[in-house]
Amino acid sequence: MSDTPLSDSDRIPPTIDSTVPHSARVWNYMLGGKDNYLVDRQAGERIREIFPGMVDIARQSRYMLARAVRYLAGEGQLRQFLDIGTGLPTVDNTHEVAQRLAPQSRIVYVDNDPLVLVHAQALLTSTPEGATDYIEADVRDPGTVLRMAAKTLDFGQPTALLLMGILGLVGDYDEARSIADRLMAALPSGSYLALYDGTDTDPAYVEAIGRYNAGSGATPYTPRSPEQIARYFDGLELVEPGIVSVSRWRPEPSPWGDPPLVACAGGVARKP
């Protein structure tokens, strides 16, 4: 197997380091995608060997993203979305879900992986009534994110902030909370925060992530307690069912009953 991206491109863009795994590409591999390199697949397989349930976490968190966006664009009646740490485009991206319900929706994606940018330019299209943009920026720099996103979004209007699985990449918890707080402070009343992250509730998951952090050379990921995740929502009005495993956040009806609990928790909340 060659160390080339499984895509329609036959070369690696010069700004992409294919020798070090990247969380967006590892996640793409976990979801069954093809936009990754050998080093990402190897990292993903090391995690799966220790913790096969990682695939369930990847899929269930992706399903929650789609359900949350449907809620925000539908019952929440939001028409602006700031999706930070979007990862590689796949099925039911934020703009696709939102614009299916409200074609005039405006979506800005934020990531700092050049490979995401390459694919975003080709795949993140928009309805004629709405707008979709991608900016290359780091979640650790909220000021830059907001300044660049303001070219597409009107922050005088309610906006959905999506921080799905991204704050675990910020090692210091106080810094992670500060980032979420600064971003929400820039949004008006009626805006929403949708967020999830991996939790420390499953020892096998924590061990798998620890080995990934130690051996991959990629940005470390830090699972946090459900209580820590809940504190991201301080001062906001949580939407039912509150902070839960992503698989239990408003799951679709199924003849097989509730989906399994996974070590990833989050919720959706409104800014009063």
Side-chain angles (χ1 to χ4, degrees):
M1 187 177 293
S2 63
D3 189 9
T4 55
L6 299 183
S7 69
D8 58 0
S9 173
D10 60 0
R11 66 184 182 87
I12 300 170
T15 55
I16 296 175
D17 185 354
S18 65
T19 66
V20 176
H22 188 283
S23 59
R25 302 193 304 259
V26 174
W27 206 243
N28 175 265
Y29 173 66
M30 291 291 183
L31 289 168
K34 298 181 179 180
D35 298 312
N36 47 72
Y37 300 108
L38 176 60
V39 68
D40 305 306
R41 298 189 287 276
Q42 291 173 333
E45 283 305 312
R46 284 195 296 271
I47 296 173
R48 289 176 62 174
E49 287 171 5
I50 304 168
F51 183 62
M54 182 62 74
V55 173
D56 288 332
I57 290 179
R59 292 176 179 172
Q60 292 297 334
S61 59
R62 188 71 192 180
Y63 299 154
M64 181 195 163
L65 168 65
R67 295 195 302 271
V69 173
R70 282 200 296 271
Y71 169 83
L72 293 165
E75 188 174 336
Q77 299 187 342
L78 292 189
R79 300 296 178 259
Q80 298 193 128
F81 297 80
L82 179 56
D83 186 347
I84 304 179
T86 177
L88 287 155
T90 181
V91 177
D92 274 350
N93 301 289
T94 297
H95 73 286
E96 294 171 325
V97 177
Q99 291 183 344
R100 202 175 293 146
L101 289 169
Q104 69 272 39
S105 296
R106 305 176 73 83
I107 296 91
V108 171
Y109 293 98
V110 182
D111 209 294
N112 66 345
D113 182 1
L115 183 61
V116 176
L117 174 60
V118 169
H119 287 271
Q121 290 172 331
L123 300 178
L124 298 182
T125 56
S126 174
T127 58
E129 303 95 325
T132 302
D133 194 14
Y134 172 90
I135 59 178
E136 188 170 359
D138 195 307
V139 69
R140 296 172 183 82
D141 187 2
T144 296
V145 169
L146 292 166
R147 176 175 51 81
M148 296 178 70
K151 298 175 183 178
T152 301
L153 305 179
D154 175 5
F155 288 134
Q157 300 297 318
T159 301
L161 172 63
L162 278 60
L163 296 172
M164 302 305 219
I166 186 67
L167 291 183
L169 295 171
V170 180
D172 184 84
Y173 176 63
D174 289 337
E175 181 185 2
R177 282 199 66 193
S178 175
I179 289 168
D181 290 345
R182 288 176 62 190
L183 290 166
M184 284 304 297
L187 306 181
S189 173
S191 295
Y192 281 78
L193 171 63
L195 178 151
Y196 65 66
D197 254 315
T199 64
D200 60 5
T201 53
D202 187 324
Y205 169 70
V206 173
E207 180 185 358
I209 293 297
R211 292 195 185 184
Y212 167 79
N213 291 342
S216 70
T219 302
Y221 186 85
T222 304
R224 297 198 159 104
S225 69
E227 293 75 20
Q228 287 176 311
I229 291 173
R231 291 179 66 191
Y232 289 128
F233 296 92
D234 284 355
L236 306 178
E237 300 169 346
L238 279 166
V239 172
E240 290 295 334
I243 308 302
V244 294
S245 170
V246 291
S247 60
R248 300 294 175 88
W249 196 87
R250 303 193 171 207
E252 305 290 343
S254 168
W256 297 281
D258 291 333
L261 293 171
V262 295
C264 184
V268 175
R270 181 182 183 275
K271 182 174 180 178

